[in-house]
Structures are given as C-alpha cells and as structure tokens.
Amino acid sequence: MGVMRLGYVHARVTDLDEARSHYGGTLGMKQVHQEQGVAYYKAWDEWDHHSVVLEEGGVGLVKLGYKVARSTDLDDFERRAAAFGCLTERMSRGENVGIGDGVRVVLPSDHVVELYHEAEFLGTETGTLNPAPFPRELVGVGVPRIDHCLITTEDPETLERFFSECLDFRSAERVVEHLDDGALLGSWMSCSNTPHDIAFIKGPNGKLHHFAYALTDWHEIKRAGGLFAMDDVPVDVGPTQHGITRGETIYFFDPSGNRNEVFSGGYMVHDDFPTITWTADQLAAGIFYIGRELNERFTSVLT
Ligand code: CA
Ligand code: FE
C-alpha cells in the first residue's frame, strides 16, 4: 500500500489577500483554517483537513505532504530514507494543523517531504451517503482535488532512485538525453493508478515548477480557461494536451508567480505498467503534444 497520494502542498505567497482571491475566488477552494499569515484550503471532493497551505512571505514551496496507508509505513519509510542518506526527523501531531505525527524527509533535491498517516476528517462537500455528483454552490473553477507536483532537481537520476527505492513509486514516463547513454532529464512517477503523483525535471534544487488540480475532462479545462480570462489570471500555456501522461492542461500563475495547472485525463497505471521513454529531441512534443514548442517562460520561470 505505502504512499497513497499527494496530500498537501505548502507554498509561500507574497500577499495572502491576493492569494485568497485566486485560490478561493477563482479556483473555488474553501478556507478551512487560518492563523497569522497562513491560510489552509481544501477542495470540494477532498475529505482530509486541507490540501493547500498558503504562507505569506516569499514564493515557492515550503514542503509537500504525502499520505501513507498505514502508520507502520512511517517507520519503514523513515528507515529506508535514512539508509539512502537523507536527513530525516519525526514530526508530531499538530505541527501541521489537522495532521498527525509523521516523518519529515529532506530529499536529495533539497525539497522537504512530510509523510503522515492521520489527518482530521472534514468530509467532502457532497458527503458519503447518497451523494450528489457535485455541490451545487461551486465557486469559480470549483476544483475537486489536487493531483501532483512538478519540482526541479540538479540530479534526476538520484531523485528517481530515491522515490523508487525508498517510497516504492514507479516511473510512468522518463525523458532521456539519448537512448544510448540515457542521462535522465525528467521522470513522471506514480504511487497510485494515475500517471504521476510527483514529477521532476532537471533544474536547480529546491524549486517548484507547478502543482496541479485534477478536473474531470476537457470541457472543464476549457471552462477553467474562460474563468482565468474573466479574472485576469496570467496563463502560461494552454489549453492543450500533453504527450507525457496524455493529460489535457492549462498552466497559469497565482498572483505571487507560483505556477499552477489544471489537468484532466491521462491513462491508468498498474504495477505491470511498462515505463514510457521520451528522447530529448522530442521533449517539446512530450510536454505539449499539439504545439510542439516550449516557450522560454515555461522552461525558466520557477519559484
Ligand atoms: Ca496523480
Ligand atoms: Fe503537471
């Protein structure tokens, strides 16, 4: 069972009020808790306490939380991460509002990941008894849940080996420099049945490329694009389709410049999924299959 999913993204924002209007008003997440300079948000189809934490001061990632299936997984993952050479420490209940105790790991890429098993159950907006398919009072895009995060690392080989050997993720798709020498440029890794729960590409350590929300289908992606136009949200790329994961996508920026994505589609991944390989000469088609071009902003703007 092991790691089940990306549970939360804890990001920095330069201005909390502007961030609130984006994550609350445009994306339609609900604020569930606030403290001085920190706001906690949940999407409508998520049952745990929160999935996005916005902390005022700066940009980029504070940390990522991944939820594990059993409390005993925590000991196992802590031991394996320490043996891999990562700095690990125990975190206790309440260090994160609504989250139980767990293990904090500094990745080979300098990002901080927290593994935890317990989270306060707030329930989805439609409930678990004879639920309606969606809440009728959705705001803006009305995102149902977060899906994945893409980070950058100086050493993709080592980070891929960490997620595979220590946390049992599988690589669904990889980009290599050449087929022969195989230097790794990026990997899209899954711990679930979706094509990616973490992805990383070569770049500076510790940086965020984007985090993404799952939408149902292409029509919702298009509708999100309309709302971004109405709310003057800067769009980076899209709507278009990825070659890698085959997902439909729009990339856009929050008011602090952190890149977000709305994502739909993609295939199912099972234990016997044969890893897909892309070569660097086809990278642009891998990222944006229809346009086959990477804009300068997409490859250089990180937070
Ligand atoms: Ca996913
Ligand atoms: Fe993505």
Side-chain angles (χ1 to χ4, degrees), residues 236-253:
D236 188 7
V237 186
T240 183
Q241 181 177 19
H242 293 303
I244 295 167
T245 75
R246 298 185 207 145
E248 295 113 9
T249 178
I250 301 176
Y251 289 108
F252 54 102
F253 293 102

Side-chain angles (χ1 to χ4, degrees), residues 39 56 87 94 112 118 149 151 155 157 199-200 218 228 257 262 265 273 277 283 300:
E56 195 162 56
L87 193 64
V112 175
E118 287 174 14
C149 187
I151 56 182
D155 183 356
E157 278 94 352
F200 40 89
W218 175 250
F228 298 156
V262 284
F273 186 85
T277 301
L283 178 63
S300 64

Side-chain angles (χ1 to χ4, degrees), residues 20-298:
R20 277 200 176 97
S21 91
H22 176 79
Y23 289 93
T26 300
L27 294 180
M29 298 187 86
K30 277 226 167 111
Q31 183 174 295
V32 292
H33 182 78
Q34 65 174 325
E35 296 168 357
Q36 186 59 37
V38 189
Y40 296 73
Y41 280 86
K42 185 172 91 57
W44 73 261
D45 205 19
E46 294 168 330
W47 47 87
D48 283 346
H49 184 266
H50 62 264
S51 61
V52 169
V53 181
L54 304 171
E55 180 172 331
E56 195 162 56
V59 294
L61 277 184
V62 177
K63 58 197 179 185
L64 299 172
Y66 280 83
K67 193 177 187 188
V68 306
R70 293 165 300 220
S71 57
T72 50
D73 289 330
L74 297 172
D75 304 321
D76 180 35
F77 290 141
E78 180 181 32
R79 188 177 44 73
R80 287 155 74 183
F84 196 86
C86 295
L87 193 64
T88 66
E89 64 179 4
R90 282 278 161 170
M91 63 181 204
S92 42
R93 177 185 309 273
E95 277 185 54
N96 298 285
V97 177
I99 304 295
D101 51 17
V103 176
R104 188 174 293 125
V105 181
V106 181
L107 301 184
S109 56
D110 296 340
H111 299 88
V112 175
V113 162
E114 292 176 336
L115 304 168
Y116 63 97
H117 171 61
E118 287 174 14
E120 188 179 328
F121 183 87
L122 294 185
T124 71
E125 276 181 50
T126 52
T128 53
L129 179 64
N130 307 325
F134 54 88
R136 63 187 305 151
E137 310 296 346
L138 285 178
V139 173
V141 178
V143 292
R145 71 192 75 89
I146 59 167
D147 183 73
H148 66 268
C149 187
L150 194 152
I151 56 182
T152 58
T153 173
E154 290 169 10
D155 183 356
E157 278 94 352
T158 300
L159 196 56
E160 186 185 60
R161 210 158 52 73
F162 169 83
F163 274 101
S164 164
E165 291 177 12
C166 300
L167 301 183
D168 298 329
F169 281 52
R170 306 177 298 275
S171 183
E173 308 209 23
R174 323 170 75 230
V175 179
V176 295
E177 192 77 61
H178 304 287
L179 272 186
D180 301 336
D181 79 7
L184 186 65
L185 297 180
S187 185
W188 281 250
M189 300 188 78
S190 173
C191 64
S192 65
N193 288 122
T194 63
H196 56 342
D197 299 298
I198 186 80
F200 40 89
I201 53 174
K202 197 171 172 64
N205 277 354
K207 293 291 189 180
L208 169 69
H209 186 276
H210 69 269
F211 62 94
Y213 296 89
L215 298 184
T216 304
D217 59 28
W218 175 250
H219 288 279
E220 288 195 351
I221 298 286
K222 185 187 69 163
R223 179 176 171 277
L227 285 155
F228 298 156
M230 291 176 211
D231 288 355
D232 211 18
V233 172
V235 169
D236 188 7
V237 186
T240 183
Q241 181 177 19
H242 293 303
I244 295 167
T245 75
R246 298 185 207 145
E248 295 113 9
T249 178
I250 301 176
Y251 289 108
F252 54 102
F253 293 102
D254 78 5
S256 305
N258 296 306
R259 190 185 285 96
N260 300 159
E261 178 186 21
V262 284
F263 176 93
S264 69
Y267 45 75
M268 294 281 283
V269 175
H270 296 277
D271 283 346
D272 62 346
F273 186 85
T275 301
I276 291 167
T277 301
W278 292 79
T279 48
D281 60 312
Q282 294 299 311
L283 178 63
I287 304 289
F288 299 120
Y289 195 73
I290 299 172
R292 286 155 287 141
E293 254 177 44
L294 293 174
N295 74 43
E296 165 66 17
R297 190 177 47 232
F298 183 80

